[in-house]
Amino acid sequence: TRFRNFLVGVVSIIPYLSAAVFMVIIGISSDRTGERRLHMAGSLALAATDKGLARLFFCTRKDYEAFLAENKLVEAAPSAIVKEAAAQVDEYFKGKRSSFDLPLDLSGQTPFRTKVLRECAKIPFGRMLTYAALAGKAGSPKASRAAGGAMAHNPIALIIPCHRVVGSDKGLHGFSSPG
């Protein structure tokens, strides 16, 4: 399956979020006869500040519109950060990228959550880490539940790959996307 993304951009009228974008991910697949079909594979929203990407979450158009209303965002052209993030997500879904190189804005997170989120962002494609190991990398080896809390409230899904963090039994625990 190949993916195409359609973007709708917005810019904030408040200082916290400077831009956001909605992406509809369209899959192109072939059936047994070779006939190609388009199908909606999902959608997500990205939002940035002047410092970096601040949000990425999977959502419906209705959820996205609620997000815009909550954050007093209006539709306009996406910022350079949002465009770059959308391009990298597009490459990721097309199988051309396995890691991201984007500035992240984790403002509003506690110092511990910031450490956990930054450590999670370092988990390589195809690898997993337990909550306990992630907590250890963040400097608090006994804080696996708190690390799980940080993953449950990950503001930048996919880019910060919380889906690569598992319980000590290697199973998913508390996975709650969309964020």
Side-chain angles (χ1 to χ4, degrees), residues 18-171:
S18 61
V21 71
F22 182 74
M23 294 178 70
V24 176
I25 305 156
I26 304 295
I28 303 170
S29 59
S30 299
D31 62 17
R32 288 180 288 178
T33 66
E35 185 177 343
R36 297 174 69 175
R37 299 182 188 276
L38 294 176
H39 57 90
M40 184 171 166
S43 56
L44 56 87
L46 299 99
T49 67
D50 293 337
K51 295 178 187 177
L53 189 65
R55 292 289 307 268
L56 188 156
F57 58 99
F58 296 90
C59 63
T60 64
R61 179 71 190 193
K62 184 177 177 182
D63 296 332
Y64 176 69
E65 289 169 356
F67 172 76
L68 295 180
E70 285 173 26
N71 290 284
K72 297 180 174 67
L73 296 169
V74 294
E75 296 204 296
S79 70
I81 291 171
V82 169
K83 284 181 185 176
E84 180 59 26
Q88 289 190 28
V89 168
D90 182 51
E91 291 170 356
Y92 180 83
F93 283 126
K94 289 178 177 175
K96 296 178 181 177
R97 174 179 288 276
S98 59
S99 64
F100 297 93
D101 181 26
L102 296 164
L104 303 179
D105 184 351
L106 296 172
S107 298
Q109 301 294 323
T110 66
F112 177 73
R113 280 195 176 171
T114 299
K115 287 179 193 175
V116 169
L117 292 165
R118 293 215 181 272
E119 287 300 325
C120 182
K122 296 176 187 176
I123 302 171
F125 183 79
R127 298 292 181 121
M128 292 184 302
L129 206 60
T130 64
Y131 293 106
L134 181 60
K137 287 184 175 287
S140 300
K142 294 184 179 185
S144 59
R145 285 184 182 218
M151 295 297 92
H153 295 94
N154 177 5
I156 311 172
L158 195 64
I159 309 295
I160 298 176
C162 56
H163 56 281
R164 296 180 190 157
V165 183
V166 296
S168 58
D169 63 356
K170 305 294 188 251

